[in-house]
Amino acid sequence: MLYVGQEEIDALAAVVRGGKMFRYDPASECGRFEQRYADFLGVKHVCMTASGSMSLTAALGGLGIGPGCEVIVPSHTYMATATAVLSIGAIPVIVDVDDSIMLDPEALDAAVGPRTKAVIPVHMWGAVCDMDAILKVARRHRLKVIEDACQCAGGSYHGHRVGSLGHAGAFSFNRYKNMTCGEGGALVTNDPRIAARGRCMIDCCSYFWSGRRADFKPFAASGARASEFEGAMLNAQLDRLPVLIARLRAIKRKVLAATVGGSLAAAPARDPDGECATTLFYQLPTATAALEFAQQAGGGPASRTGRHTYTEWDPILTRHGAFHPALDPFRMPQNKGCRMTYSKTMCRRSLAILDRTVLIGLSPNQTDAEIDELIRKIRKAAAVCDETAREQKSPTQPIAKAATGKGAR
């Protein structure tokens, strides 16, 4: 969450006072946000949902992905990227990230198999993937591309808003995100067929309020539509998002310019001017150095632990894909030929990269004095790491042998 203030409070109060709290009411806040966010992203369709997880599920369903399909996901992302694949009956295939800690295009290329139908590149921690390379691989293998932009609202890749580059995109608006309404999400696309199927995934009952269509037959789906409270809050959030992102980018540029050097490197950035800049990514020569730096600087090692790394995705690792065996994609006969062997050591290269990477969060609310103090702490931590490295490289002094033999005291 970057910032919530009086504007959001006023927007929510207006919904209560107006008494129109259903998203299909005339002149709804949800409808207004969908149109405004479509304009902001440069896409034709935005479909609000109750969560980022549902946004991913609706995108996959909108694209017709299902049993018998494999979908490639990166080893470092929130588990919902992979569980969304299971929710529509397909099988996730986990591949390595590169030094940017985003999906490695070369690993994607190598992992494509005869059943691979789609890939979900994830714009993690407010940074952006190498979309040119990923889209090139996807075109060669005829893969559908669903951008997981849940952590990157407001970001762009070489002038194009994230979420708008693939066949579909998914956003989350929960409390941890750049733009928040507590919970919520959105499916975005330029394809009207994906939008129609996605909307049915989100709310198969919507035709009761929006009308039946001669060109679309609704199907049953569990549904997770948004509320007017979410729409109202997001309209206020969208107004302030560009200014907050610009502030974060300025902070990140300043901190990196003042701190990178010696054993302290910045992780590769695919578009520094387009990323949301919510996070500093530092990389050190070894996992030990990264841990020491994190302890001194107050950051956190990305490492192999935590909810954003595949080693912690219990339902995937244990192949427990649904509440009922008959609905479990891992047991479906259509998926018999899909790759579904997982282990905690399957992506060793990713784990090695993550163990050397330290993340430090930024806030647009940081004052100049707080930014200067952060720079001081990072420099001090880097100096400690450099000194440790010098000590480890310096030759040890020979130890004098104790006196032995006749006359020894």
Side-chain angles (χ1 to χ4, degrees):
M1 181 174 71
L2 298 184
Y3 184 80
V4 172
Q6 188 61 46
E7 291 84 353
E8 287 81 0
I9 295 170
D10 292 342
L12 292 170
V15 172
V16 176
R17 293 192 187 101
K20 295 182 178 180
M21 304 180 192
F22 187 44
R23 77 136 301 158
Y24 296 118
D25 284 332
S28 75
E29 289 292 325
C30 287
R32 188 163 77 91
F33 174 75
E34 287 174 338
Q35 185 57 60
R36 294 183 66 216
Y37 201 45
D39 294 341
F40 178 81
L41 297 174
V43 299
K44 295 179 180 178
H45 306 279
V46 170
C47 313
M48 285 186 66
T49 74
S51 70
S53 301
M54 186 63 215
S55 302
L56 287 164
T57 301
L60 289 160
L63 283 160
I65 305 299
C69 300
E70 294 176 348
V71 179
I72 293 175
V73 302
S75 56
H76 188 66
T77 177
Y78 187 57
M79 185 173 66
T81 309
T83 57
V85 176
L86 291 172
S87 72
I88 48 88
I91 298 297
V93 174
I94 303 170
V95 304
D96 274 316
V97 296
D98 59 21
D99 285 343
S100 69
I101 71 171
M102 314 288 152
L103 177 68
D104 182 351
E106 293 183 4
L108 164 64
D109 194 22
V112 175
R115 288 175 173 261
T116 310
K117 302 301 180 185
V119 58
I120 307 180
V122 184
H123 304 292
M124 282 293 295
W125 305 108
V128 295
C129 296
D130 186 352
M131 289 303 297
D132 284 339
I134 290 169
L135 291 170
K136 183 178 180 180
V137 173
R139 283 191 294 268
R140 185 165 63 251
H141 294 288
R142 298 184 178 181
L143 303 179
K144 301 297 184 182
V145 178
I146 302 102
E147 289 179 82
D148 183 337
C150 290
Q151 296 191 7
C152 204
S156 61
Y157 177 80
H158 300 309
H160 300 279
R161 295 288 185 186
V162 296
S164 70
L165 293 112
H167 296 89
F171 289 87
S172 170
F173 304 127
N174 76 18
R175 61 161 294 199
Y176 298 106
K177 303 305 189 288
N178 303 340
M179 187 163 60
T180 184
C181 57
E183 286 289 355
L187 156 67
V188 307
T189 183
N190 283 308
D191 190 324
R193 295 165 299 179
I194 296 172
R197 287 178 58 86
R199 286 193 181 98
C200 193
M201 294 283 291
I202 296 162
D203 183 8
C204 68
C205 307
S206 62
Y207 63 85
F208 287 127
W209 296 277
S210 57
R212 289 177 171 87
R213 289 174 45 178
D215 62 343
F216 181 78
K217 184 181 294 186
F219 48 84
S222 57
R225 65 184 175 228
S227 80
E228 279 295 88
F229 294 108
E230 291 165 338
M233 190 165 177
L234 286 172
N235 276 310
Q237 286 274 290
L238 184 57
D239 288 339
R240 66 168 86 251
L241 182 65
V243 172
L244 297 178
I245 296 296
R247 169 66 175 162
L248 284 164
R249 289 171 180 160
I251 294 172
K252 186 167 184 177
R253 283 193 295 268
K254 178 179 179 179
V255 176
L256 288 179
T259 56
V260 170
S263 61
L264 190 62
R270 304 311 179 196
D271 183 0
D273 294 329
E275 64 179 31
C276 296
T278 51
T279 310
L280 295 164
F281 300 77
Y282 288 110
Q283 287 178 336
L284 290 100
T286 67
T288 301
L291 182 59
E292 182 178 31
F293 174 77
Q295 291 171 341
Q296 295 284 334
S303 79
R304 65 185 64 188
T305 61
R307 60 183 177 269
H308 291 100
T309 303
Y310 77 95
T311 52
E312 307 307 307
W313 301 348
D314 293 3
I316 309 294
L317 296 176
T318 62
R319 300 207 315 183
H320 196 182
F323 74 97
H324 193 287
L327 298 174
D328 191 338
F330 292 125
R331 302 188 186 195
M332 289 179 179
Q334 300 96 318
N335 291 329
K336 187 175 181 180
C338 293
R339 293 166 289 176
M340 54 181 83
T341 300
Y342 310 102
S343 75
K344 288 197 173 187
T345 58
M346 62 185 293
C347 293
R348 293 180 184 274
R349 178 166 172 258
S350 296
L351 299 180
I353 291 169
L354 293 167
D355 279 348
R356 294 188 297 103
T357 304
V358 176
L359 311 180
I360 298 176
L362 297 175
S363 167
N365 303 318
Q366 287 173 295
T367 65
D368 289 343
E370 289 170 335
I371 295 165
D372 290 341
E373 175 60 17
L374 176 62
I375 290 170
R376 186 195 67 77
K377 286 178 66 176
I378 292 171
R379 282 176 168 172
K380 181 179 178 181
V384 171
C385 291
D386 288 341
E387 181 61 29
T388 300
R390 283 192 293 269
E391 290 174 355
Q392 291 173 346
K393 288 181 180 180
S394 63
T396 57
Q397 296 296 320
I399 300 173
K401 291 184 178 181
T404 59
K406 189 177 181 179
R409 299 291 187 267

